[in-house]
Amino acid sequence: MLPTCHLPCLPVLLPLAALLLTLLLTGCNALSPPRFTKVPVDQIGVSGGVVSFVCQATGDPKPRVSWNKKGKKVNSQRIETIEFDEGAGAVLRIQPLRAPRDENIYECVADNSEGEVTVNAKLSIIREDLLPAGFPNIDMGPQLKVVERTRTATMLCAASGNPDPEITWFKDFLPIDPNASNGRIKQLRSGALQIENSEETDQGKYECVASNVEGVRYSSPANLYVRVRRVPPRFSIVPTNHEIMPGGSVNITCVAVGSPMPYVKWMLNSEDLTPEDEMPVGRNVLELTSVHESANYTCVAMSSLGIIEAVAQIIVKSLPKPPGLPVVTETTATSVTITWDSGNPDPVTYYIIQYRAKTPLSKFDSMDGITTTRYSIGGLYPNTEYEIRVSAFNTIGQGPPSEPAEARTGEQAPASPPRNIQTRIISPNTMLVRWEEPEEPNGQIKGYRIYYTMDPHQPMGQWQVHNVQDSVLTTIGSLTASETYTIRVLAFTSVGDGPFSDPIQVKVLIDVPGQPTKFQVGAVSDTSIELTWEPSYDKGIVNYELRYREGKQGGVVPKTFPPSSSYVVEGLRANTEYFFSLAAISNKGIGAFTNEIPQNTSQAKPSAPPQDIKCISSSSTTLLVSWRPPPVAGQNGALVGYIVRYQVGGAETSAEPMEEPAVPPSTGAVLLQGLEKWTQYHVTVAAFTNKGTGPASQPLLCRTDEDVPGAPPRRVEVEVLNSTALKVTWRSLLPGRQHGQIRGYQVHYVRVENGESRGLPLIKDVMLADAQEMIIGGLQPDTTYSITVAAYTTKGDGARSKPKLVVTKGAGVPGLVRGAVRYDGVRSYRAMLFASGGGDISVRCRG
């Protein structure tokens, strides 16, 4: 039937062009009769089971679909019609099936104003006990499931049959089409139905249907419940209060959660700051700029389950004002105590004190966290003028400082002695002494005391004293000619005496040089030390004499050399303490020696190996190596550790030895692990310092312990000699698998019936390391035997060879068995051989 086009009423004489234009403008509604888009198929059900026929049509106007049986509307409590697609589709569901009552041809009818179409489907029913072998069976049906909305739900289904059944799904008695869900609903290869991002509309009763050519079977229905969480709104991030500077900016964050998620807005008093159509869900950040006034901002979170509010207070606050001028209330040599007025009507968090010495290059030091208006500043230098100021700190920051106050610390006795003491003989009994001011006078120097004596071992109280004021040089007379004096100088303030200078010596002889000054150590190596000094003011120095000794008890070694300001002593021993003193020489004689100064040479790598190297085999794969440190004279410094190297004995010299991780210096032993069994190793030990590794010890030859052999004998063969005897031959193990000295071999043999051993194995032992053959007698005729061979050491048996199965000959006349125990050496051995009749004979084995 062709579609019909209904036109509006038009005047008969309307021009053709106008007619066409009217058609285009008004359109044409093409009506069509029904046409099936889903046709029901014949089905074979099981008695007591379920079947569903699905039918759907299209057309214009939309058709109505109904089901008939024998030309009449179906009408039964067991037969139900479920419509869908606004009546253009219908499912005929029959449950439970009754045979033969329900076996029939069912008719699907689709009709509209344009026509009517029908389609038939046949239903056959088979009793459960008469089902064919391949009829579908539901092995695992869906189960009750509860899932939260937006989560994934999986309804399981597994079926079997022959051929493999096709699985489809019904929800609330209607078929499920996964292709119509935009990928949200999927049927997995296993047959399971997976529903992603579940919705409330997914809730319902689900059935799994398995069908093949033999029939159709439905699973028991299972309900899926989609749970919707309902949680009133609450704040997960509560807006916080802020203090800002005038004109400052701040962001206030407010986050609320719930189910459903709440909308969040900001309000200032009764004014909405968030437009109604821009209200965000869950999170809202209020951005405030150029804030000049304090205010309370309210965050409102709302959902269908309630409304909540939170207030954030924005306080516009300025930096604190400067405190009042600090007042000095007390001073000591190392501290100043000050007080001040806060100068701020509002509370401050704490105060910051800044102070510095009033010198051109000094910088302010700070002390913060002070919560009182009185504080003592300690750790200052004596007799020093300081500038002190105070500033306040609040939640906004640090305010400007106060006006500075000035204070001078009190005096102390000098903290350091006078510097650069020098002497000069100006007459047969008078000397000139000069010096420089202490580096740390700690006040005004009132004078100096010069202590001098011919016996420096006397207590200082017994030395002679010469006082000097307002000068850094003086003369001391009434000295004894040709004697050597020791001199020490101190400075004093009004508080007390400072420390003594280091002693210097002077010999009372005219034109004899004074003691060299600033005698000190320069560059140092492991075999040399450089010494430097400043020459005395005396002229006429022709030589210097340097004396040094090794350690406090060593003999003195003199060195004489021309005038110079430095000298390098060479040929010294590493990491050794030496003592040095120096004197100048003129034509009139030698001057006073300086005080001895000590110095150690640098460390070097050891020059001797560790001692008393020992090696013990603690197992077949380990060696315990022990040693003692190198002689002290050969250590040349603090030992950092030891290096232990080992190499298989007899290996090529070009092979790299193996090395253990560095052993700490406090350890005198190491366990070498993972070694080859019954193997000789060359072991060496070397010590090392921060400067390098010393010589290694002489190689020590060590052998790991024996173990059981690592393999069975090779090429095991068995020869049947007669009805009661066998000859077993083999070859010895390769040397690398012996793992010790082979002491002999064991031959195991056992009777075998139907592939299984009968009785316990019998063992024949050959206690000959070179044996390669054995005769086994006393066997049963026409019997199967399994034979294995194993070598053994003092540690036990090794692995057995693969079993050899042989059958003895049938019963016969007993006779002597010829045989021998073969060996590889040249010595003779005695062995026992068996005669076929069970008797033993003794033979001699020859090379």
Side-chain angles (χ1 to χ4, degrees), residues 88-147:
V91 175
L92 179 67
R93 180 183 177 95
I94 306 173
Q95 179 184 11
L97 294 175
R98 295 286 185 263
R101 184 188 315 170
D102 297 330
E103 288 186 308
N104 216 315
I105 294 177
Y106 293 85
E107 182 181 64
C108 175
V109 181
D111 67 281
N112 65 6
S113 60
E114 300 300 315
E116 178 181 292
V117 291
T118 62
V119 65
N120 296 331
K122 180 181 179 182
L123 172 61
S124 302
I125 303 174
I126 306 175
R127 280 173 34 196
E128 185 79 42
D129 57 341
L130 298 177
L131 291 177
F135 198 88
N137 185 58
I138 302 294
D139 299 328
M140 179 176 63
Q143 302 294 322
L144 171 70
K145 186 173 289 291
V146 180
V147 66

Side-chain angles (χ1 to χ4, degrees), residues 8-16 18-19 22:
C9 296
L10 299 171
V12 176
L13 298 178
L14 191 67
L16 180 59
L19 176 61
T22 302

